[in-house]
Amino acid sequence: MGRDNTELTENGKKTRDLIFQTAVRILKEEGYDKVTVRRICKESNTSNGSFYHFFKNKDELMAYYYTRSADDFLEGQEETMKNADLYHQMLICYRWYIRYTADFGLDFCINFFNSNNRAIDPMYMYNAFYEISKKCLHEKAGEIREGYEADQIAKELCILAKGIIFDWSSSRGSYDIEEVAERMFSIYLNGVIRRADE
């Protein structure tokens, strides 16, 4: 995130999570356009100052969804990731990312994944899944095919994920995003990572 939240007090964490949960409730009940800083603060009984202490804007607040998702992912998939080869680590990671995004709803995806939102650019703002994949790629760099680099693959996986989500959003969810994502990630990963069974 744009803020260093590692030093938060317990009260700070509670306030940040209350702001976030209020935004999620409004989003799910009424849609993305109804999520405003003013309304979040009013309904969470927090001040504008508190909101801006934790988040620069609404897009950064929504990006926090992925930081929380990554924490859940690491907790729930730690053993699976540890025992998987690089190819499967990347599939597991981005399968989770796509599913988690789709679960937040089409309205969220349509509004969040757009070219005006700097919060989706991992070169601009912290992106938890980009960082997870980059770490795995560096740790198992020996499994990367010749001519490719860990940072390049991490960035291209991020581009692929955003592209799939954007297309699914622009088609108003007309296809099974998880099925298409699985196929497209498999094709890409087979091109850049050596499989153990080769």
Side-chain angles (χ1 to χ4, degrees):
M1 303 303 306
R3 305 285 189 268
D4 179 7
N5 291 332
T6 56
E7 302 294 326
L8 287 180
T9 63
E10 280 306 308
N11 280 342
K13 289 177 186 173
K14 285 179 184 173
T15 302
R16 179 192 60 194
D17 289 345
L18 175 62
I19 289 168
F20 176 73
Q21 292 299 335
T22 302
V24 169
R25 181 181 51 74
I26 296 167
L27 173 71
K28 291 191 172 181
E29 289 175 2
E30 299 182 48
Y32 196 89
D33 289 341
K34 300 294 183 184
V35 181
T36 64
V37 173
R38 178 181 295 207
R39 183 159 178 201
I40 292 165
C41 292
K42 181 179 179 188
E43 294 193 18
S44 64
N45 199 26
T46 55
S47 68
N48 278 12
S50 290
F51 179 94
Y52 289 112
H53 176 73
F54 300 111
F55 307 103
K56 287 181 186 173
N57 52 42
K58 176 174 139 179
D59 286 335
E60 189 176 294
L61 168 65
M62 294 291 103
Y64 178 62
Y65 180 68
Y66 290 102
T67 300
R68 289 177 56 117
S69 165
D71 292 343
D72 293 343
F73 170 77
L74 290 171
E75 187 176 308
Q77 301 293 318
E78 182 178 9
E79 203 61 33
T80 306
M81 288 287 281
K82 189 167 54 174
N83 296 321
D85 61 14
L86 183 58
Y87 173 88
H88 287 96
Q89 283 181 333
M90 295 300 94
L91 268 186
I92 292 163
C93 182
Y94 279 95
R95 188 181 292 141
W96 178 284
Y97 180 88
I98 293 291
R99 182 178 302 130
Y100 209 79
T101 299
D103 284 349
F104 216 26
L106 186 58
D107 183 56
F108 166 77
C109 293
I110 289 169
N111 287 283
F112 187 74
F113 287 89
N114 70 73
S115 60
N116 293 322
N117 183 2
R118 294 291 308 273
I120 63 173
D121 179 358
M123 302 305 125
Y124 173 74
M125 195 167 91
Y126 178 78
N127 178 309
F129 281 92
Y130 171 75
E131 295 298 332
I132 291 168
S133 63
K134 191 163 77 167
K135 181 175 184 278
C136 292
L137 285 156
H138 278 280
E139 287 174 355
K140 296 195 175 191
E143 296 177 38
I144 296 173
R145 292 188 189 278
E146 191 175 335
Y148 296 94
E149 295 179 2
D151 289 353
Q152 170 196 3
I153 296 170
K155 184 174 182 183
E156 289 173 357
L157 285 167
C158 194
I159 291 167
L160 182 57
K162 288 185 290 187
I164 292 167
I165 294 163
F166 179 80
D167 185 75
W168 180 75
S169 301
S170 64
S171 73
R172 301 300 190 257
S174 66
Y175 56 82
D176 185 331
I177 189 173
E178 291 181 46
E179 182 182 307
V180 169
E182 186 86 12
R183 186 167 58 251
M184 293 181 75
F185 276 105
S186 295
I187 292 166
Y188 175 78
L189 290 168
N190 274 317
V192 297
I193 294 173
R194 286 185 289 102
R195 303 282 295 276
D197 53 1
E198 287 182 4

